[in-house]
Amino acid sequence: MSYILLEKKLKEIADLQYAIAVLHWDQETYMPIKSSASRSRQIATLSTLAHQKACSEELKNTIDAALEENLTKEQKANVSLALKDYTKAVLLPEAFVNRLSLHTSEAYHAWVAARKQNDYSLFQEALTTMIELKREQASFYKTAHPYDALLDEYEPGATVAQLDPLFKSLKEQLLPLLKTIKQAEQVDNSFLHKYYSQQQQWDFSMQILQHIGYDFEAGRQDFAEHPFTTSFSSQDVRITTRVDEYDFSNLLWSSIHEAGHALYEQGLRDDMYGMPIGSACSLSIHESQSRIWENNIGRGIHFWHYWFPILQQQVNGFENSSFQDFYAAINKVSPSLIRTEADELTYHFHVMIRYELEKGLIEGTLHPKDLRSEEHTSELQSLRH
């Protein structure tokens, strides 16, 4: 039966892709810095092998044969999505996939160095090359707008033509709301920026993660430069966070946010491992889950009626804080420069700014050097405020 053979082939591709994901996870958590070059090569080699399988003539023949079989609704969906994935994969040359993978790893290490030293110039060259590669990738798909091709990787079917008016409408509604809040009496959240022990923050976050249902027998939490979630199957979904001992909000809500992603992944069907309908359907759905947990629940009044007394017992520094002050502080709305640390309202502006920057970089109306220009900084300030 061709469908059974297709399952086997798709699971082999998934095995390679998840092995790549393991290497990426290690690269961003525990990998020794001197191994960056060899790790980049290892990831590129596996990415190339996965691409070879994903666009092989044998796979196409198997898909075509499966389309002729009497299949269930789920099987038909898997075959249809497999055909879509194949159709996109064959448009990318093997050599390009290898180059893109190599540079993605190299660019990550450049970004880490730039972040640690707060020096954009250390990342600018790597970013410039990455933008050139992504433009080249978009050119293979020949979409109406070059950014459409890249959007489709994360949000199938999304286009600039759809998103431009959507973000315009969203901005028109949110800017007056933000202005009204800024003109009101401001919440004092300074007590969240006292010293709070890293270990106590970590232990408290682990308790909360377990309480909200994150399965530690099918995952783990670690530290990374940038919080992220990665999945190797529904039975192995890992999250990371970062800590600032003078910003209590940094670790905890990053952990809850990433746990929202992880809960979605842990809820996917294990019997559909490697199959299209066994994977996340889009990044917007993914992000909806993380932000529901982070904001609707993790900053909710009922959640903290339960957890605040425990926080006062387990994390030194909150003994004399009132519930009302704490609840107001964790929900304070104030523009900031870091998306992962943004509040529930201004987070949307980070997304819109990121969209406008990425679209400009891909279409060529912006250059990476422009990201540090005085003119563009002014534009960002006006969007941010």
Side-chain angles (χ1 to χ4, degrees):
M1 185 177 181
S2 296
Y3 181 81
I4 300 301
L5 179 59
L6 178 61
E7 278 191 322
K8 179 177 181 294
K9 292 183 178 299
L10 293 180
K11 288 179 179 179
E12 288 175 350
I13 295 170
D15 289 339
L16 287 170
Q17 291 172 335
Y18 287 132
I20 294 167
V22 174
L23 294 180
H24 274 298
W25 170 82
D26 178 66
Q27 178 178 251
E28 297 192 40
T29 51
Y30 298 110
M31 188 186 78
I33 188 63
K34 286 187 176 181
S35 63
S36 60
S38 58
R39 177 57 49 83
S40 298
R41 176 187 173 86
Q42 292 156 4
I43 291 173
T45 297
L46 289 178
S47 297
T48 303
L49 290 173
H51 182 69
Q52 289 172 351
K53 286 181 173 291
C55 59
S56 69
E57 185 176 350
E58 187 179 358
L59 177 64
K60 178 59 163 60
N61 292 337
T62 305
I63 293 172
D64 290 341
L67 286 169
E68 301 299 320
E69 295 178 339
N70 185 23
L71 303 176
T72 66
K73 185 177 180 179
E74 288 184 344
Q75 290 172 334
K76 288 179 181 178
N78 278 325
V79 177
S80 176
L81 291 169
L83 178 59
K84 179 185 177 183
D85 291 341
Y86 170 83
T87 303
K88 289 190 68 176
V90 295
L91 296 175
L92 296 181
E94 182 180 311
F96 172 79
V97 171
N98 187 275
R99 282 193 292 123
L100 178 61
S101 178
L102 273 173
H103 186 69
T104 298
S105 295
E106 293 166 0
Y108 167 74
H109 295 294
W111 171 80
V112 170
R115 185 178 187 277
K116 286 181 176 178
Q117 298 183 45
N118 193 28
D119 185 353
Y120 173 68
S121 66
L122 298 177
F123 181 53
Q124 183 175 320
E125 182 178 351
L127 178 60
T128 300
T129 301
M130 177 58 73
I131 297 303
E132 292 170 354
L133 285 167
K134 299 308 282 187
R135 286 178 183 166
E136 184 178 354
Q137 179 182 348
S139 71
F140 294 122
Y141 297 117
K142 303 185 187 309
T143 51
H145 189 285
Y147 196 45
D148 290 350
L150 307 180
L151 283 171
D152 192 69
E153 289 187 57
Y154 302 98
E155 192 59 35
T159 65
V160 166
Q162 292 174 335
L163 294 180
D164 277 352
L166 185 150
F167 282 136
K168 180 177 182 293
S169 173
L170 185 63
K171 190 188 302 183
E172 289 172 350
Q173 296 175 66
L174 292 185
L175 278 172
L177 176 58
L178 179 58
K179 182 178 180 181
T180 299
I181 293 172
K182 288 176 63 180
Q183 291 174 344
E185 182 179 354
Q186 296 300 293
V187 171
D188 180 9
N189 68 342
S190 59
F191 66 91
L192 294 178
H193 295 273
K194 297 192 302 182
Y195 173 82
Y196 296 103
S197 158
Q198 173 175 318
Q199 190 61 53
Q200 289 184 346
Q201 289 190 59
W202 174 267
D203 292 344
F204 185 68
S205 75
M206 294 289 277
Q207 268 191 279
I208 285 185
L209 294 180
Q210 187 170 25
H211 183 80
I212 67 176
Y214 179 60
D215 185 356
F216 279 98
E217 292 186 353
R220 57 181 291 128
Q221 177 172 245
D222 296 276
F223 286 120
E225 287 292 330
H226 180 82
F228 68 93
T229 300
T230 189
S231 173
F232 317 133
S233 76
S234 64
Q235 303 304 306
D236 190 351
V237 185
R238 307 182 189 188
I239 66 175
T240 66
T241 188
R242 62 183 175 211
V243 65
D244 181 342
E245 292 191 314
Y246 289 91
D247 182 2
F248 180 76
S249 300
N250 208 313
L251 187 154
L252 181 59
W253 281 278
S254 290
S255 294
I256 296 174
H257 180 101
E258 298 305 329
H261 285 300
L263 288 169
Y264 177 41
E265 291 282 346
Q266 288 185 339
L268 296 175
R269 289 172 52 177
D270 192 48
D271 65 320
M272 284 290 173
Y273 170 88
M275 306 304 291
I277 66 171
S279 60
C281 60
S282 78
L283 262 292
S284 65
I285 296 298
H286 234 302
E287 194 68 11
S288 74
Q289 302 310 294
S290 62
R291 299 202 67 211
I292 283 172
W293 278 103
E294 177 189 3
N295 295 313
N296 297 59
I297 299 173
R299 298 183 195 273
I301 192 166
H302 299 297
F303 186 82
W304 283 103
H305 271 310
Y306 176 84
W307 280 105
F308 187 64
I310 300 172
L311 174 69
Q312 289 182 303
Q313 294 173 5
Q314 297 186 0
V315 179
N316 297 335
F318 287 107
E319 302 86 353
N320 299 318
S321 301
S322 73
F323 175 82
Q324 290 76 15
D325 289 344
F326 178 81
Y327 180 67
I330 66 173
N331 285 286
K332 180 177 181 178
V333 172
S334 180
S336 62
L337 294 174
I338 309 298
R339 176 182 58 85
T340 57
E341 299 167 15
D343 58 77
E344 186 173 1
L345 173 58
T346 61
Y347 192 101
H348 299 286
F349 291 94
H350 283 273
V351 174
M352 288 187 281
I353 290 171
R354 178 171 175 173
Y355 169 75
E356 293 177 7
L357 290 177
E358 288 185 357
K359 185 179 70 168
L361 288 166
I362 295 302
E363 68 187 9
T365 55
L366 279 179
H367 185 278
K369 64 180 175 60
D370 298 328
L371 301 182
R372 294 293 289 185
S373 71
E374 183 176 337
E375 177 184 358
H376 196 64
T377 298
S378 298
E379 293 174 6
L380 287 176
Q381 292 287 347
S382 65
L383 283 171
R384 190 160 57 88
H385 295 295

